[in-house]
Amino acid sequence: LFFTTFSTIALLTLLIMGLAQILYASSRTVPVLRLKETLMRPELSLLDKNGYHLFLSHIWRSGQDQVAVIKRQLQLCLPGVRIFLDVDDLLDISALETYIAKSAVVLIFLSRGYFCSTNCLREARSSKEGSKPLVLVHEADLSKGGIALEESRAECPDD
């Protein structure tokens, strides 16, 4: 009888603590970016409803984890933002240029090997041809796939 009573009380206590944790976690608000003048959330519009606000261009080997974090953090701060990330959105590798065309802005995550990748060069060239606004992010930490800018310039083709 003692064991049954003790087990029941312990189980109920753990259940209550778990529910309290869930309620606490769901009650915290995620910081959302707001316009300085109006304190309103920015209105995120797209000309193409099937398009993206941002295309994340990176090399898998040295930038995949970092751009995944960039995407998730932007989605938390800007609810409703549409961000293209290959592991989430790529259906056809031959359509990279189409994905770029459907994106308002392109972020190039510059890390080791970016300019040695055929697909990264396709994305960069398509961005240039489409006069896309660019956001450049440089990974400087060599332990995380970073590269010195001088080395990156050496990798970069002339065009």
Side-chain angles (χ1 to χ4, degrees):
L1 181 63
F2 173 76
F3 179 74
T4 304
T5 304
F6 179 76
S7 297
T8 303
I9 291 172
L11 183 61
L12 286 174
T13 302
L14 287 173
L15 181 63
I16 290 170
M17 289 173 55
L19 287 173
Q21 177 64 29
I22 290 170
L23 290 174
Y24 172 74
S26 66
S27 69
R28 292 185 291 159
T29 58
V30 175
V32 174
L33 294 178
R34 298 184 181 277
L35 299 172
K36 184 177 179 180
E37 291 180 9
T38 63
L39 298 178
M40 300 293 293
R41 291 181 182 178
E43 184 177 319
L44 301 174
S45 59
L46 285 171
L47 294 177
D48 180 352
K49 292 187 181 193
N50 295 321
Y52 300 91
H53 296 101
L54 182 64
F55 181 100
L56 297 174
S57 178
H58 65 286
I59 186 164
W60 287 7
R61 181 176 63 239
S62 59
Q64 187 69 43
D65 293 341
Q66 296 94 320
V67 293
V69 170
I70 290 170
K71 178 177 180 174
R72 303 302 175 243
Q73 291 300 312
L74 284 172
Q75 287 176 323
L76 289 173
C77 295
L78 288 168
V81 70
R82 292 195 41 146
I83 301 173
F84 179 94
L85 180 58
D86 53 8
V87 295
D88 298 333
D89 305 296
L90 182 66
L91 300 176
D92 181 3
I93 192 74
S94 68
L96 281 177
E97 291 79 4
T98 303
Y99 292 117
I100 294 282
K102 288 184 170 191
S103 299
V105 178
V106 175
L107 181 146
I108 293 179
F109 188 83
L110 186 57
S111 59
R112 182 164 305 284
Y114 181 86
F115 290 117
C116 297
S117 163
T118 302
N119 289 329
C120 289
L121 290 176
R122 285 175 58 201
E123 294 165 1
R125 288 177 177 132
S126 181
S127 299
K128 181 182 175 188
E129 290 166 9
S131 300
K132 294 293 178 178
L134 297 177
V135 175
L136 303 175
V137 177
H138 171 235
E139 176 61 75
D141 188 340
L142 298 179
S143 69
K144 295 182 179 171
I147 187 170
L149 286 175
E150 298 77 31
E151 288 181 65
S152 183
R153 282 188 199 105
E155 287 182 354
C156 184
D158 291 334
D159 65 327

